[in-house]
Amino acid sequence: MKKRVVVKFDKCIGCRSCEVACAREHSQKLRTEERITADTNKPVSRIAIKPTFSDPTECEELKPIKGQSRNDIKTGKAYPIRCRHCDDPKCVEACMSGALMKNDEGVVVHNPDKCVGCWMCIMACPFGAIKRDVKNKIIVKCDLCPHRETPACVEACKTGAIIFLREEEIPEWGE
Amino acid sequence: MPLDFQFKYVIIGNSAAGIGCVEGIRRIDKRGTIAIISEEKMHTYSRCLTSYYIAGHVDDEKILFRPRDYYERKNVTPILGKKAVKIFPNENYIVLNDGTKIGYSSLMIGTGASPVVYDIPGNNKPGVFVLRTYEDARKISEAASAGKRAVIMGGGLVGLKAADALHARGMEVWVIVTSPQIMSQTMDKEGAEILRKQLEENGIRILTETNVEEICGDNKVEAVRLSTGQKLSCDIVIFAKGVRPNIGLAKEAGIQTDYGILVDAHMRTNVQNIYAAGDVAEAKDFITGERYVHAIWPNAVEQGQIAGQNMAGADVEYNGGIAMNSVDLFGLASIAVGLTRPRAKDGGYEIISRSVPDKKFYRKLVLKDGIIVGAISIGAVEAAGILTGLIKNRANVSKFKELLLSEDLDYAKVVGLGIASDATKMATA
């Protein structure tokens, strides 16, 4: 059964819990020892919460209203940036080493052993959803947490902005 | 005229376009028989990884861009180490160099391109190489020897990647470039200067506006004579002066060619059931609408996929190719997409740029009537794909120039501006 992460932007309050959970999930040491100091590499999240670019004066979310986060989202609305596991993934098309493949479940998977750090996928992804691990000369991207029932970001999101649905449950794109 | 074999789909070429074609066919038709023919014996190896192979960063296994069991998994018959020598378009079969006749219902020509070797004295001496195939890379790798000197002719992507690789093998590397700058095909003057500095700081010697006029030596390469009159002793010479499409096979069969094989938006040649894709195909250019050969990996894969889907009965059109290249030289990333060097005489282009020299950050955008048509990113390249997306959307970015030049550009910032293709409320992943 194919399941996908769905992001409801209007529910995101920019708390960045998903970023912490993702970084922790993809850091072997943190998963086992629960100590941020234990890992020599800085843990890298595969998801990023960024503010949209709009006029803060027009942005209702930033006015301190009861029950709202006062998180420092500088302008605009909080927006989770993550891999969408596209139907026609441009990153896979551009990957000249075969490190990126779309598997039978429809997940765009990355094999770090094949990756040579040419950044062709970064050149091709229109969503800017791929990060560089410059130190190891490979990319990092969402892998939909294959070792978990529910992806870490979904589990961490307490506002219902990031949810995990079966493909047939996913509403149509757009308004 | 009995045929030796008959396949529904025959693909000539086992690289990006050929494999893209297999994947395009299999999206639509899971069962139709496919044969893939290549004069090279290798499994699906990546030409873009040949320089990494020379450097010793990838081996015989890692150079493959598809798994070992790929042909079985996709139900493809690989015919490797055999060369297609003739196409009979009226009778729907091809002949291999061993006389085997193979019939097809539809044919995809992905014969790629070959390196251009300039006609200069001494160009056939032992120690002179080109870099295109696995075999080329293997020979260069064998000839590479620490402490010796290599001369690379050409300052494009292949030349610079070769320079990087031989430098990694401990050689002293000189790059001889005809143009006033390196990467003259894809990079503007300012970007090229940044990259040149990066290369020179890491010990690569670069001579621009210089030609190699003769390759000297008795029985093997010993030196090159430059247009400056200087004689430079060396042990290896590599021609990296560009490639030319391999159109001979198609041309001889009466298929329409110009610089490459001419194809329509379905990647179809003038013969109904013969398609072409990749470095050999002259297909629609996204920006100009004219036909052009963009000999780069992503375009070859995409064209192959489109040809394959159409061969299998779908109706998929090609939006057109865009020049794009990404290269990381000594840890400095650079990505150039679309039209990055409009000639002054073309007129009507607006160029905006921003550079932060101490961070080695450079970004440049080329606009025409407010529409973004080209972008260069050097250093922080994370947002390069967003710019690629805007180019493909033909986005009018005239109101957002400063935003797009900012170092910390990310996708969130372009959401809701009406320039990126995006669902504002929801995205699935």
Side-chain angles (χ1 to χ4, degrees), chain B residues 48-204:
Chain B
C48 297
L49 288 176
T50 48
S51 65
Y52 295 81
Y53 177 88
I54 294 167
H57 296 154
V58 310
D59 57 14
D60 281 352
E61 213 45 47
K62 206 173 159 179
I63 201 169
L64 306 184
F65 70 98
R66 289 294 180 263
R68 275 275 170 210
D69 62 356
Y70 181 80
Y71 299 123
E72 295 81 54
R73 211 191 291 181
K74 293 283 176 188
N75 194 11
V76 170
T77 306
I79 302 172
L80 305 180
K82 304 268 177 71
K83 190 178 162 97
V85 290
K86 205 162 169 57
I87 301 171
F88 290 89
N90 299 329
E91 293 84 4
N92 294 325
Y93 74 93
I94 63 166
V95 181
L96 306 184
N97 56 347
D98 63 359
T100 311
K101 295 188 182 70
I102 299 176
Y104 59 81
S105 303
S106 58
L107 173 72
M108 206 289 287
I109 305 172
T111 44
S114 295
V116 176
V117 174
Y118 277 43
D119 185 19
I120 56 168
N123 65 6
N124 55 359
K125 285 189 199 304
V128 179
F129 301 97
V130 292
L131 177 53
R132 174 80 185 175
T133 64
Y134 169 77
E135 210 42 44
D136 295 334
R138 203 184 50 73
K139 285 181 198 154
I140 293 171
S141 186
E142 273 177 17
S145 147
K148 299 246 168 120
R149 186 182 287 158
V151 166
I152 291 161
M153 298 165 61
L157 210 65
V158 173
L160 297 181
K161 281 173 79 180
D164 191 314
L166 291 174
H167 181 271
R169 294 282 302 274
M171 292 190 81
E172 185 193 312
V173 182
W174 289 63
V175 182
I176 315 297
V177 188
T178 305
S179 315
Q181 63 161 84
I182 56 169
M183 292 182 74
S184 54
Q185 293 294 316
T186 52
M187 193 54 74
D188 70 336
K189 201 160 165 274
E190 196 168 347
E193 270 315 301
I194 299 169
L195 298 180
R196 177 179 186 159
K197 218 168 137 215
Q198 180 76 3
L199 289 161
E200 287 178 337
E201 278 170 9
N202 283 281
I204 307 279

Side-chain angles (χ1 to χ4, degrees), chain A residues 53-101:
Chain A
F53 184 79
S54 60
D55 185 350
T57 56
E58 292 174 9
C59 193
E60 288 296 320
E61 278 74 2
L62 292 177
K63 295 175 184 167
I65 304 165
K66 203 174 167 188
Q68 284 248 333
S69 159
R70 270 76 164 167
N71 270 5
D72 185 19
I73 300 286
K74 288 185 186 58
T75 56
K77 301 176 184 180
Y79 184 103
I81 299 168
R82 57 192 310 286
C83 170
R84 298 158 188 237
H85 302 274
C86 301
D87 289 338
D88 184 15
K90 291 290 155 192
C91 60
V92 174
E93 195 176 274
C95 178
M96 55 82 168
S97 70
L100 285 167
M101 297 290 277

Side-chain angles (χ1 to χ4, degrees), chain A residues 90 122-128, chain B residues 286 322 324 337 372 375 383-395 397 411 414 419-421:
Chain A
K90 291 290 155 192
I122 288 176
M123 170 178 81
C125 172
F127 304 110
Chain B
F286 178 84
I322 298 184
M324 53 170 93
V337 178
I372 179 169
I386 298 165
L387 301 172
T388 306
L390 295 176
I391 293 169
K392 287 188 171 178
N393 281 342
R394 302 190 204 276
V397 299
Y411 190 72
V414 300
I419 55 175
S421 55

Side-chain angles (χ1 to χ4, degrees), chain A residues 4-5 7 9 50 52-53 79 82-84 90 96 98 113-114 118-119 122-123 125 127 132 170 173 175, chain B residues 46 62 64-65 297 302 326 328 379 381-382 385 388 410-413 415 422-425 427-429:
Chain A
R4 286 286 173 270
V5 167
V7 177
F9 304 120
K50 298 283 183 184
T52 59
F53 184 79
Y79 184 103
R82 57 192 310 286
C83 170
R84 298 158 188 237
K90 291 290 155 192
M96 55 82 168
D113 295 334
K114 294 285 292 176
C118 70
W119 324 128
I122 288 176
M123 170 178 81
C125 172
F127 304 110
R132 287 193 296 161
I170 295 171
W173 280 62
E175 294 295 319
Chain B
S46 172
K62 206 173 159 179
L64 306 184
F65 70 98
W297 187 271
E302 186 181 16
S326 167
D328 189 296
V381 294
E382 275 68 14
T388 306
D410 58 55
Y411 190 72
K413 294 190 177 65
V415 165
D422 182 64
T424 45
K425 283 272 183 276
T428 63

Side-chain angles (χ1 to χ4, degrees), chain B residues 321-332:
Chain B
I322 298 184
M324 53 170 93
N325 258 313
S326 167
V327 65
D328 189 296
L329 296 165
F330 298 102
L332 181 64

